[in-house]
Amino acid sequence: MTTMSAERTALRSLSAVAEARQAARTFLEGLGQSAIAPEHADAVILVVSELVTNALRHGGGTYTLRLAAHPGTIEVAVEDPSPRPPRMRTPDLVDGTGGFGWHMVNDLALATAVTPSPEGGKTVRALLPRRTRG
């Protein structure tokens, strides 16, 4: 199993999301070009971006990103200090206040899980495919 851990601390910083996306790109590149289909790499980057944005916006501004490659899947895990789990919301098509992200993560992922941490926070995990089934 190939793993990587990237840890960032930020206060609602857009650069923190960009850094997380870059860390995910670097991780995926390290796996090799044939290890992940391009469309699945894009999905991993999108899920990293969404989970880190949510951690910054709703989780207190601190997050830990962990990525792991398993046979057939990529695991994205984002830990933050908030005990509140993500929730499905009706997307806001008028005021632009969101509601799309958790739906998108669940649509792209094979599975998602939210695990409370002993310190009072949580880890949100998404398991994504590496290759197209065919």
Side-chain angles (χ1 to χ4, degrees):
M1 176 170 58
T2 305
T3 61
M4 180 185 101
S5 177
E7 191 166 329
R8 305 275 188 269
T9 302
L11 294 173
R12 301 183 194 279
S13 168
L14 293 178
S15 66
V17 176
E19 290 171 9
R21 283 193 301 263
Q22 186 55 51
R25 282 188 197 93
T26 300
F27 172 78
L28 295 172
E29 289 167 2
L31 296 176
Q33 198 169 19
S34 64
I36 185 164
E39 66 273 15
H40 294 306
D42 291 343
V44 169
I45 301 299
L46 194 55
V47 167
V48 164
S49 183
E50 183 58 35
L51 293 182
V52 168
T53 297
N54 285 348
L56 292 171
R57 181 178 289 165
H58 306 292
T62 302
Y63 73 92
T64 301
L65 168 65
R66 290 187 183 86
L67 301 164
H70 307 287
T73 61
I74 301 290
E75 180 179 354
V76 176
V78 176
E79 181 181 337
D80 70 55
S82 171
R84 294 182 56 203
R87 63 182 175 89
M88 293 289 187
R89 297 188 311 148
T90 301
D92 181 352
L93 300 172
V94 177
D95 296 321
T97 60
F100 296 93
W102 189 234
H103 289 281
M104 179 189 60
V105 169
N106 280 277
D107 286 346
L108 291 171
L110 299 170
T112 58
V114 180
T115 308
S117 67
E119 300 81 29
K122 68 181 171 301
T123 300
V124 179
R125 287 183 175 78
L127 199 59
L128 294 116
R130 287 174 68 161
R131 303 296 309 160
T132 303
R133 291 178 183 36

